[in-house]
Amino acid sequence: MIAVIADDITGAAEIAGVCLRWGIPVSFSLDASPASGADVMVIATDTRSMTEAAALKETDRIASELMNMGITWIFKKSDSVMRGHVAKELKVLAKNLHKEKMLLVPANPYTGRSISEGIYYVKGRPLNETSFKDDPTFPAFSANVKDLLREDELPVAYGKFSEEEDLQAGFNIPDSQTMQDLYTWASLMDDSVLPAGSAAFFEMCLKRNFPEWMLGQEPDPLSFLGNSLMIAGSSHQNSKDFVEKAVEKGVHLSEMPDLLTEETYNPAGTEAWVQDVSQGLKDSDRVIMGYGKKKVSFDNYPAILKKRTAQAVSRVIEEVPVRELLLEGGATTCAVIEELSLGALIPMQELSPGVVRLKAVDLDMVLTIKPGSYAWPEAVYKYFELEKPMV
């Protein structure tokens, strides 16, 4: 068995989706608890939403548990645009695993994310000229990968690499534009290297190191059933565009009441939101919950608003059972799953790279989750009776 430690839950689901695509038995949980028969154990730690100290403590704990289980082939799934405590967590893992070199390949050709001459591009635009510059927690202040790594202790090699050259001690971030590039960098791995980065790089690591696992399989037929509740947890333009189209089509949008956007919690706000969403589900079969357009600014407000959203979602589901729960954004998704005490989830289906459906073990509910910056696939547009725009 191999293990993947992801710093947020949508990244973990993206890894599970890769395994589903290739017919590899995979388990998915919020802790190191492998399912019987799984070849890949995916662990969603949500460390990207934690303070640096808490994130490093959690990473160290998970690494120690995996070592005690005898699992030493570990991949660190980091954010594809390098948000989070990437360097610090990798150093903790490398120390536990006795690795001298870290091979970090965050590029993901599936989503137009590439690195050229050390500069990170999203669909041809430098990262710091995209909406990632406005991320509330880890804004993209630069497009240079060394800057984004935020590392000042160990050496950082980046730019053009050669497949004939050895990796250096410390961090290695090679230029990457194609899946072939990612496969080439996967061939540089040996016992001294800790691999990390995007789900696309993980896929190439599997292809290079475990080719006998790569059987491939036909995707399960799409099976959206019953009513649905979507939590629009991202400020990315993809999310805004989807919600706008859904509202135009008549889907009920319930935005967070102003009472919940204040620093001091007011339970009346939760009551009002729960009642509006519940009534929407009783009146129709599709409802979207969103954060609204009000500007909010107080200490730790992103985490606090996500917690309040999760509490409201839990209350809604107590009032009106929900069959399809669609979640976007790693921190929002993790907050909802923890509030619902779902524990283990069973990966079912990959709708598109990064968009995965998982079955709740203890509830008659299916979760469809995706990273906030990714677009919903055509299948979800059709489910909401919308036409997906041409890109």
Side-chain angles (χ1 to χ4, degrees):
M1 175 180 283
I2 68 175
V4 180
I5 305 173
D7 67 356
D8 89 326
I9 200 162
T10 53
E14 194 173 4
I15 293 289
V18 170
C19 296
L20 289 171
R21 190 186 318 153
W22 289 101
I24 301 170
V26 57
S27 69
F28 183 100
S29 66
L30 304 184
D31 213 331
S33 53
S36 176
D39 290 326
V40 178
M41 172 173 50
V42 184
I43 306 163
T45 63
D46 196 38
T47 50
R48 197 188 308 170
S49 296
M50 299 178 186
T51 64
E52 181 180 298
L56 300 189
K57 183 177 180 180
E58 178 67 1
T59 300
D60 184 68
R61 183 186 71 82
I62 293 291
S64 297
E65 287 191 10
L66 292 176
M67 294 291 285
N68 290 336
M69 293 164 59
I71 298 174
T72 57
W73 205 104
I74 296 174
F75 182 94
K76 182 65 169 74
K77 168 64 175 76
S78 59
D79 181 50
S80 62
V81 293
M82 300 176 69
R83 292 171 296 180
H85 314 289
V86 178
K88 298 290 195 303
E89 289 184 33
L90 279 173
K91 287 192 290 187
V92 168
L93 272 180
K95 182 178 179 180
N96 274 276
L97 298 170
H98 309 293
K99 306 289 187 181
E100 299 175 355
K101 307 167 187 174
M102 287 157 280
L103 176 57
L104 175 60
V105 184
N108 189 337
Y110 286 130
T111 55
R113 301 177 184 194
S114 62
I115 302 172
S116 178
E117 297 183 353
I119 301 300
Y120 200 112
Y121 294 92
V122 177
K123 295 182 178 178
R125 296 174 61 196
L127 182 65
N128 61 334
E129 296 178 13
T130 69
S131 59
F132 289 107
K133 72 181 187 302
D134 301 319
D135 186 272
T137 311
F138 296 100
F141 62 94
S142 170
N144 182 285
V145 293
K146 184 176 181 180
D147 294 342
L148 294 168
L149 188 63
R150 301 173 177 87
E151 171 59 25
D152 55 11
E153 294 178 348
L154 297 180
V156 179
Y158 65 101
K160 297 184 184 299
F161 278 51
S162 167
E163 57 185 303
E164 286 81 28
E165 296 178 6
D166 291 333
L167 299 176
Q168 72 166 31
F171 291 93
N172 299 267
I173 313 176
D175 285 353
S176 307
Q177 288 90 44
T178 67
M179 294 300 286
Q180 181 58 49
D181 289 339
L182 272 56
Y183 182 79
T184 298
W185 308 143
S187 70
L188 299 180
M189 290 170 51
D190 58 30
D191 290 342
S192 68
V193 177
L194 172 63
S198 68
F201 182 49
F202 172 72
E203 183 177 356
M204 292 301 98
C205 286
L206 288 178
K207 191 172 183 180
R208 176 65 179 80
N209 295 280
F210 303 94
E212 69 278 7
W213 290 1
M214 310 291 278
L215 303 177
Q217 65 177 26
E218 289 296 318
D220 295 330
L222 187 64
S223 55
F224 283 111
L225 297 170
N227 64 355
S228 67
L229 177 61
M230 175 181 284
I231 316 305
S234 172
S235 60
H236 197 277
Q237 193 61 45
N238 286 329
S239 174
K240 294 177 181 178
D241 291 344
F242 182 93
V243 171
E244 183 177 325
K245 286 181 176 294
V247 170
E248 289 175 358
K249 191 71 174 180
V251 174
H252 180 62
L253 171 63
S254 182
E255 295 185 331
M256 176 179 280
D258 287 348
L259 286 176
L260 288 181
T261 64
E262 303 298 329
E263 184 169 9
T264 301
Y265 173 65
N266 188 329
T270 299
E271 291 299 324
W273 205 10
V274 169
Q275 291 309 309
D276 184 59
V277 176
S278 298
Q279 191 60 51
L281 286 169
K282 292 172 183 176
D283 293 340
S284 64
D285 57 358
R286 292 171 178 82
V287 172
I288 297 175
M289 294 175 69
Y291 287 111
K293 300 178 180 63
K294 183 179 177 180
K295 296 292 184 182
V296 181
S297 182
F298 54 82
D299 286 347
N300 201 31
Y301 77 89
I304 291 171
L305 295 189
K306 288 172 176 59
K307 177 67 173 177
R308 292 174 183 175
T309 300
Q311 291 170 336
V313 171
S314 179
R315 288 278 312 285
V316 167
I317 292 173
E318 289 176 3
E319 296 270 341
V320 184
V322 171
R323 162 67 185 184
E324 299 283 349
L325 185 61
L326 297 96
L327 301 156
E328 61 179 5
T332 297
T333 299
C334 194
V336 170
I337 287 175
E338 288 180 344
E339 191 68 31
L340 294 175
S341 300
L342 293 183
L345 296 163
I346 302 170
M348 292 174 53
Q349 183 182 30
E350 182 189 47
L351 298 185
S352 65
V355 186
V356 177
R357 285 166 59 72
L358 306 108
K359 178 72 174 69
V361 173
D362 301 322
L363 285 176
D364 183 22
M365 178 189 293
V366 176
L367 286 72
T368 302
I369 66 180
K370 75 169 185 70
S373 60
Y374 287 28
W376 286 112
E378 186 174 0
V380 175
Y381 272 83
K382 286 183 176 179
Y383 176 56
F384 276 80
E385 301 176 353
L386 304 175
E387 184 174 336
K388 184 173 173 62
M390 298 295 290
V391 178

